[in-house]
Amino acid sequence: MDKIRNFCIIAHIDHGKSTLADRMLEITQTVDVRQMENQVLDDMDLEKERGITIKSHAIQMNHKGYTLNLIDTPGHVDFSYEVSRSIAACEGAVLVVDATQGVQAQTISNLYMAIEHDLEIIPVLNKCDMDNAMPERVEDEIVDLLGCKREEILRCSAKTGEGVPEILDAIIERIPAPKGDPNAPLQCLVFDSVFNSFRGIIAYFKVVNGTMRTGDQVRFVNTGKEYDADEIGILKLEMSPRKEISAGNVGYIISGIKTSTEVKVGDTITHVARPCDKAIEGFEEAKPMVFAGVYPIESEDYEDLRASLEKLQLNDASLTFQPESSMALGFGFRCGFLGLLHMEIIQERLDREFDMDVITTVPNVSYNVYTKDGGMVEVHNPAGMPDLTEIDRIEEPYIRASVITTADYIGPIMTLCLSKRGELVKQEYISGNRMELLFDMPLGEIVIDFYDKLKSISKGYASFDWHMNGFRPSNLVKLDILLNGEQVDALSTLTHRDNAVDFGRRMCEKLKELLPRQQFDIAIQAAIGAKIIARETVKQVRKDVLAKCYGGDVSRKRKLLEKQKRGKKRMKQIGNVEVPQKAFLAVLKLD
């Protein structure tokens, strides 16, 4: 065990984590020259296309007689749950900071997460070969942040490979070996799982105590299910079978599990014959922040969609879903996501990996609604709101947002945050002209387009990170959209009373552009309760019934027009209005 090191690489988006992992795999010759490509650990096409890491990836390397288990992690704030799982399986972390950009918001939040788990931190300055690098200035920032000595910071260029061997040496010297007893009863922590259509469910685990051998009978403690370990092994670029895996190592187990609910991330695996006393303290459950309805376009695909979501949930434990039905869209699922990028990625993965065409409704957050009889309901969907007369008060989730930027963009960023009902908590200089602004803001305001706006007004220089900060009472109203007097529940939103009229008006105007014209007038109305606050009309497509009248008495024309009018009225009673998918998405891009 003295020869094992478990570590992860943490950093802000685009600071070079995956590139650094590529160089490490090259130097330790874990990956063949023929198999080498950029972002070699990112195995989804989506990750390569967007140049981001979505899943954390584990791989084992050998260097100077030591076994190094590396877990490469995502940098985007929506995937911080993946980072927390990686950190739970490691003893040390390589903190990568871009020498051209300095310390950013996720650098700080990922660092605090690692410090909470008592990990040994190795600070690394990447992209030192670039012309606009500022190594001295960024080193000052790291020293301020970590309180380490300047000589402990390693400089490298992940692109050229310069300085990477020194990082590998530092990992061996500075990161402690895992603690644990190979002869104690078996205790393994499950930190990820994937679905394979031939082998069933494959669980990835870290052995904390004991030794697992092929053919052992094992039990998953939380679910209480028992299996035979048909195949166990370690994670190279492909899975590589082994006869046994002992304490301190990271590996996988295949035991023919078919049902996705039987494997939970954070569960403990132990022997049936000689079980451990207690389960390992797992990591906390992911709390979804953004909720949206996901509906199949064809109603008969409902069961296929359920199966696809279950398989996706195995690979992404932060996705939650429960069945719901909507009058406009039929049967579907209410899904919980960690953020908008997460939602977009899940939608893409459903399309690519499972060939599912889905409609996604307007995303919203969960609210606590207190009724007059003293009860409390958690509402994820505006359609689930109790009647207005029964509500005592509504509380909405607030976040503590941290924005790091240069002093030039302070004005526009302040304006943006205050327009989203934010309250400035404090602002302070970190170093030079870089500032950190802390705001308390309602989560519902940032969930749709805040991140995009922040990036555009700061020309990409501001970085943003947030964590939950409790619930607060708020003056919220439910805004309904009616088409010909029929409510479209998929377009309902909860919004602040001050913004409701403006938002309703803009929504009606947008829908007027998007709804196709019918043979009858379509009235689009926005309403709060029984009060209509905005209206637009999509005019009917008319046939010229007077074309055959050339002259003659006006009563002939009147008769024809009246006949047409009666037909239109009857058509309006039986005709229904199809709302295109574009209309659901347009609400997100109202500005």
Side-chain angles (χ1 to χ4, degrees):
M1 274 180 68
D2 301 341
K3 296 279 186 186
I4 298 174
R5 299 288 182 270
N6 298 323
F7 70 100
C8 56
I9 303 180
I10 54 177
H12 187 77
I13 316 162
D14 276 347
H15 280 203
K17 296 175 293 301
S18 299
T19 317
L20 180 60
D22 289 352
R23 291 299 85 72
M24 286 181 171
L25 297 176
E26 262 179 17
I27 289 168
T28 57
Q29 293 172 350
T30 307
V31 178
D32 221 318
V33 178
R34 283 172 317 177
Q35 292 172 305
M36 196 60 211
E37 52 182 75
N38 286 341
Q39 287 179 268
V40 68
L41 287 181
D42 294 348
D43 48 15
M44 266 186 257
D45 296 341
L46 253 174
E47 293 180 309
K48 288 195 166 58
E49 278 168 32
R50 292 175 175 236
I52 57 175
T53 305
I54 295 167
K55 291 283 302 161
S56 52
H57 299 274
I59 192 163
Q60 192 175 93
M61 310 180 282
N62 294 315
H63 183 64
K64 296 187 176 175
Y66 285 82
T67 300
L68 308 180
N69 290 313
L70 154 71
I71 302 181
D72 177 29
T73 64
H76 196 283
V77 63
D78 276 13
F79 303 116
S80 53
Y81 180 61
E82 288 286 329
V83 183
S84 76
R85 289 167 27 184
S86 314
I87 284 174
C90 294
E91 281 81 37
V94 175
L95 180 74
V96 180
V97 181
D98 184 335
T100 62
Q101 295 191 15
V103 172
Q104 305 251 297
Q106 272 99 4
T107 315
I108 297 177
S109 74
N110 289 344
L111 171 70
Y112 286 157
M113 214 188 294
I115 290 173
E116 273 172 34
H117 282 78
D118 291 338
L119 298 198
E120 181 65 40
I121 311 285
I122 299 178
V124 170
L125 205 55
N126 189 18
K127 307 193 188 179
C128 289
D129 58 328
M130 287 182 72
D131 299 337
N132 58 342
M134 319 167 282
E136 272 74 26
R137 209 166 103 196
V138 179
E139 273 184 2
D140 289 340
E141 290 178 17
I142 296 175
V143 171
D144 286 348
L145 182 65
L146 272 175
C148 61
K149 299 189 179 69
R150 274 190 100 92
E151 53 272 17
E152 287 176 15
I153 302 171
L154 302 169
R155 291 188 184 187
C156 79
S157 160
K159 201 164 196 175
T160 61
E162 176 195 342
V164 180
E166 287 77 32
I167 298 175
L168 288 167
D169 295 341
I171 288 165
I172 292 171
E173 285 160 25
R174 297 191 206 171
I175 293 177
K179 299 178 179 67
D181 178 2
N183 302 316
L186 181 68
Q187 258 188 331
C188 307
L189 176 71
V190 178
F191 65 87
D192 203 357
S193 55
V194 291
F195 182 81
N196 180 313
S197 43
F198 303 107
R199 315 284 313 259
I201 290 159
I202 305 170
Y204 296 161
F205 60 85
K206 178 192 174 187
V207 187
V208 179
N209 283 310
T211 305
M212 188 190 287
R213 294 177 181 81
T214 309
D216 282 354
Q217 262 204 316
V218 294
R219 176 186 296 138
F220 283 72
V221 177
N222 281 352
T223 55
K225 299 277 199 252
E226 297 178 3
Y227 307 99
D228 290 332
D230 299 336
E231 178 181 314
I232 60 171
I234 57 169
L235 299 154
K236 293 280 193 185
L237 198 54
E238 275 90 30
M239 294 185 292
S240 144
R242 291 287 184 272
K243 285 276 182 280
E244 64 172 49
I245 299 177
S246 63
N249 249 318
V250 173
Y252 68 90
I253 175 171
I254 300 177
S255 49
I257 305 173
K258 296 286 186 291
T259 329
S260 50
T261 48
E262 291 177 16
V263 176
K264 285 196 166 54
V265 168
D267 201 350
T268 305
I269 307 177
T270 186
H271 278 136
V272 174
R274 190 178 161 215
C276 55
D277 308 335
K278 60 179 194 309
I280 303 168
E281 297 284 314
F283 18 85
E284 67 279 0
E285 289 277 311
K287 287 215 46 104
M289 297 298 160
V290 178
F291 294 87
V294 174
Y295 294 86
I297 287 179
E298 300 297 331
S299 54
E300 58 264 25
D301 294 344
Y302 176 72
E303 282 304 323
D304 295 348
L305 179 60
R306 181 197 293 275
S308 308
L309 283 170
E310 280 178 357
K311 287 173 187 168
L312 253 184
Q313 195 178 33
L314 268 180
N315 196 243
D316 183 348
S318 51
L319 170 70
T320 60
F321 63 91
Q322 63 202 53
E324 75 162 3
S325 64
S326 142
M327 284 179 26
L329 301 168
F331 289 104
F333 294 93
R334 188 97 199 138
C335 297
F337 308 99
L338 296 182
L340 277 193
L341 178 69
H342 187 210
M343 175 172 133
E344 207 179 306
I345 295 292
I346 293 287
Q347 225 177 324
E348 278 273 311
R349 287 183 68 182
L350 279 172
D351 182 29
R352 290 182 184 207
E353 295 172 29
F354 303 101
D355 215 12
M356 294 298 308
D357 278 339
V358 294
I359 289 180
T360 312
T361 64
V362 183
N364 53 27
V365 299
S366 65
Y367 298 92
N368 290 344
V369 179
Y370 291 87
T371 50
K372 287 183 175 162
D373 56 10
M376 194 272 278
V377 194
E378 201 173 277
V379 175
H380 299 314
N381 182 353
M385 283 283 281
D387 197 59
L388 265 175
T389 51
E390 297 170 14
I391 297 174
D392 177 36
R393 66 181 194 283
I394 304 176
E395 291 190 351
E396 62 175 334
Y398 262 71
I399 59 164
R400 173 66 55 90
S402 146
V403 179
I404 295 180
T405 178
T406 51
D408 320 348
Y409 304 111
I410 293 293
I413 288 174
M414 286 264 203
T415 313
L416 172 68
C417 293
L418 295 173
S419 72
K420 298 280 187 189
R421 297 192 285 136
E423 299 161 16
L424 182 64
V425 179
K426 71 169 183 182
Q427 63 184 75
E428 58 182 356
Y429 278 95
I430 304 177
S431 66
N433 75 338
R434 289 163 60 81
M435 292 187 74
E436 180 176 27
L437 302 170
L438 287 180
F439 285 92
D440 279 347
M441 298 169 74
L443 181 61
E445 291 281 342
I446 69 150
V447 98
I448 290 183
D449 57 358
F450 178 80
Y451 195 65
D452 298 344
K453 282 187 174 171
L454 180 72
K455 281 291 180 203
S456 55
I457 61 175
S458 66
K459 303 195 171 104
Y461 277 108
S463 64
F464 170 67
D465 189 57
W466 55 270
H467 57 266
M468 283 302 290
N469 197 20
F471 282 77
R472 295 190 194 174
S474 188
N475 188 3
L476 296 168
V477 290
K478 180 183 169 200
L479 183 72
D480 292 319
I481 298 292
L482 311 173
L483 296 180
N484 280 346
E486 290 280 322
Q487 190 181 323
V488 184
D489 54 357
L491 287 172
S492 298
T493 48
L494 279 170
T495 179
H496 197 265
R497 191 177 288 276
D498 298 350
N499 307 340
V501 176
D502 179 44
F503 187 65
R505 190 174 298 130
R506 294 208 319 258
M507 213 146 145
C508 290
E509 285 164 7
K510 193 77 185 175
L511 284 170
K512 184 182 177 182
E513 293 168 23
L514 293 166
L515 289 179
R517 286 172 70 185
Q518 305 279 358
Q519 295 278 339
F520 49 88
D521 277 357
I522 304 172
I524 306 169
Q525 293 167 309
I528 297 173
K531 183 183 173 193
I532 305 291
I533 55 170
R535 166 170 176 145
E536 293 285 337
T537 308
V538 178
K539 294 308 280 180
Q540 58 197 2
V541 184
R542 297 191 68 141
K543 177 184 170 193
D544 188 2
V545 288
L546 303 182
K548 60 185 179 191
C549 294
Y550 44 93
D553 188 35
V554 73
S555 59
R556 281 189 64 205
K557 294 182 184 176
R558 173 72 43 233
K559 183 179 158 192
L560 285 169
L561 285 173
E562 284 298 325
K563 187 179 171 189
Q564 184 187 35
K565 197 169 166 186
R566 284 198 303 277
K568 295 276 184 200
K569 191 174 175 184
R570 202 165 64 244
M571 202 183 271
K572 184 172 182 172
Q573 286 166 355
I574 58 167
N576 63 347
V577 184
E578 290 287 315
V579 184
Q581 165 72 354
K582 282 203 304 253
F584 296 115
L585 298 176
V587 183
L588 307 186
K589 303 185 172 67
L590 269 183
D591 298 334

